[in-house]
Amino acid sequence: MDQGSVVEGVTPSRAAQGALPLTGVPEPLWAASPSKLLAFLDCPRRYRLQYLDRPSPEKRRPRAHTSLGTAVHNALRDWWDLPERRAEAGAGLVHRAWIDVGFRDAAQSGEWRARMQDAVTAYLGEVDPQRRPVGIERTVSFVSGELRLTGRVDRLDDRDGELVVVDYKTSRVVPTDDDARTSLPLALYAAAVWKMFRRRTLRVELHHVPTGMVATHVHTDASLARKVEQARSIARDARRADRDHAERGTDSELFPPRPGPLCGWCDLRAHCPEGQAAGPEKSDWAALEEPAPTKESPWNSD
C-alpha cells in the first residue's frame, strides 16, 4: 500500500545564494482528520463554517447524546489507569466523568447516567483487565501524497500478534459488520497504525457499549488502499476549495449547502439559512427519546 512520503526541497542556503532556481518545489502537506474529511464530504457549507471562516461562527451548546458519549469514552479510558481494574469500578468512573449538559432536566440526566453506569460495568465484565492495550486514545498519523492525516484511536489491541483497531460506540443504533466495513475513519486508523507500528493492521471493530455487541471487518491490503485513495480524493477537492476560499472568502461557490435531515442536528445551522429552511431544529435531548433514531441521525455516529 503506497502511503506516500514527504519530498525534500531545495536547501535554504543554496536557494539564498541563487545557485538554483526554485522549480519543482512540492506543495506543503494538507493536514486533515477523518472528521474533517467527512465534514467536507457531507456538507461543504458546514466544512467552511467549521474550518475556514474567521472569526469562527459560534456553535450551539453540546447535545445530550454528545455529553453522554464523551463521558463514557472518558470512563473507559480512565479504567485502564486504575490500580485494580474491576468491572464494577466502571460505574464510579461514569459518575465522575458525567457531563450534565443538553438533557431535558435533572431527572433525564440521572436516568441516562444510571443506564450508562450499568452498560459500562457490563461491557468491562467482558474485558480482560490483564491484557493492557497497545494504545488508549492513541494519536496516529500517516502521510500519503499531499495528505497528512491524523486521528485518535479509542483503543488499540494486540491479539496474538495482530493489531486491532477498536472504536467505542454509545448510540442507540447498534452498528453492523457492514458499518465496520464501510467506515472511512476505521480504515484510515488501520492504515495509520500499520504505518507507525510497521505491522500489517487489517482488523477493525466497533464496540457498542450499551449492548456489548461487536461489529467487525477484516480489510485486505487492496480494500485498505482503496480507503486511503478515497481520503486523498476528498482531500484534493477540499484543498481546491480551501484555495478558492482564501481568494474569495464567503463569496466562493465551492461550499454549497446540502439541506436534508441532518440539518436539524447541525451545530452551525444558525449561520446557514438553507439549513434552517430544511426543517425544525432538534431539541438538545432528541436523540435520547423514542422512537429510536435512524441512520440519518448523528446519534448513530457518536
Side-chain angles (χ1 to χ4, degrees), residues 2 7 26 49 58 68 80 110 130 142 149 152-153 156-157 163 181 208 216 228 235-236 264 277 296-297:
D2 177 17
V7 181
L49 291 167
E58 184 178 358
L68 181 155
W80 291 101
Q130 302 306 316
F142 70 87
L149 187 128
R152 187 171 62 184
V153 178
L156 182 62
D157 290 350
L163 293 181
R181 178 184 65 83
H208 190 244
T216 302
V228 172
R236 286 191 290 269
E296 294 176 331
S297 168

Side-chain angles (χ1 to χ4, degrees), residues 56-112:
S56 300
E58 184 178 358
K59 292 184 178 181
R60 71 186 315 283
R61 73 170 188 168
R63 298 179 186 273
H65 67 270
T66 301
S67 298
L68 181 155
T70 300
V72 169
H73 279 70
N74 289 345
L76 292 173
R77 175 200 64 199
D78 294 344
W79 186 74
W80 291 101
D81 292 330
L82 296 178
E84 294 185 16
R85 302 185 193 113
R86 296 176 292 105
E88 54 268 29
L93 291 174
V94 172
H95 190 279
R96 186 176 68 186
W98 195 249
I99 302 170
D100 193 16
V101 175
F103 295 90
R104 181 181 58 241
D105 50 33
Q108 187 187 50
S109 176
E111 175 190 351
W112 280 93

Side-chain angles (χ1 to χ4, degrees), residues 8-301:
E8 296 182 358
V10 178
T11 60
S13 59
R14 297 191 68 185
Q17 295 170 4
L20 291 174
L22 291 176
T23 58
V25 177
E27 288 189 280
L29 295 173
W30 190 78
S33 63
S35 58
K36 183 177 180 180
L37 293 173
L38 290 179
F40 184 80
L41 188 65
D42 292 341
C43 180
R45 173 66 57 78
R46 178 167 66 89
Y47 170 90
R48 193 203 78 196
L49 291 167
Q50 183 173 353
Y51 292 101
L52 301 181
D53 285 357
R54 294 294 181 270
S56 300
E58 184 178 358
K59 292 184 178 181
R60 71 186 315 283
R61 73 170 188 168
R63 298 179 186 273
H65 67 270
T66 301
S67 298
L68 181 155
T70 300
V72 169
H73 279 70
N74 289 345
L76 292 173
R77 175 200 64 199
D78 294 344
W79 186 74
W80 291 101
D81 292 330
L82 296 178
E84 294 185 16
R85 302 185 193 113
R86 296 176 292 105
E88 54 268 29
L93 291 174
V94 172
H95 190 279
R96 186 176 68 186
W98 195 249
I99 302 170
D100 193 16
V101 175
F103 295 90
R104 181 181 58 241
D105 50 33
Q108 187 187 50
S109 176
E111 175 190 351
W112 280 93
R113 182 180 61 211
R115 287 192 191 186
M116 291 302 103
Q117 287 178 298
D118 290 343
V120 168
T121 298
Y123 174 79
L124 290 174
E126 302 298 320
V127 175
D128 184 351
Q130 302 306 316
R131 297 187 64 177
R132 186 175 179 84
V134 174
I136 302 167
E137 292 200 358
R138 173 64 185 264
T139 297
V140 295
S141 63
F142 70 87
V143 171
S144 181
E146 296 177 359
L147 170 65
R148 178 193 289 122
L149 187 128
T150 303
R152 187 171 62 184
V153 178
D154 286 343
R155 199 175 87 206
L156 182 62
D157 290 350
D158 186 338
R159 301 184 200 157
D160 301 321
E162 176 188 14
L163 293 181
V164 180
V165 173
V166 173
D167 191 51
Y168 299 133
K169 305 306 271 184
T170 56
S171 70
R172 290 165 59 204
V173 178
V174 181
T176 65
D177 288 349
D178 196 52
D179 292 324
R181 178 184 65 83
T182 59
S183 171
L184 180 62
L186 281 182
L188 296 179
Y189 296 151
V193 168
W194 184 342
K195 183 74 170 181
M196 292 179 63
F197 288 82
R198 300 183 183 278
R199 294 168 61 181
R200 291 176 77 244
T201 305
L202 300 173
R203 186 181 184 90
V204 297
E205 296 180 350
L206 296 170
H207 287 208
H208 190 244
V209 179
T211 63
M213 299 292 290
V214 176
T216 302
H217 181 67
V218 180
H219 280 282
T220 64
D221 294 27
S223 68
L224 211 59
R226 285 194 296 271
K227 288 295 188 182
V228 172
E229 180 52 40
Q230 179 186 357
R232 292 179 62 179
S233 177
I234 299 169
R236 286 191 290 269
D237 291 341
R239 187 170 200 169
R240 181 169 63 90
D242 287 1
R243 293 193 188 104
D244 197 60
H245 181 272
E247 295 179 3
R248 305 178 60 192
T250 57
D251 290 333
S252 172
E253 298 179 355
L254 298 184
F255 302 92
R258 291 184 179 156
L262 285 177
C263 293
W265 302 92
C266 182
D267 291 341
L268 293 163
R269 62 176 275 131
H271 310 282
C272 179
E274 295 87 350
Q276 296 174 43
E281 183 176 18
K282 299 291 185 179
S283 71
D284 285 359
W285 56 88
L288 307 183
E289 296 183 332
E290 300 294 343
T294 67
K295 296 285 186 179
E296 294 176 331
S297 168
W299 180 230
N300 183 50
S301 56

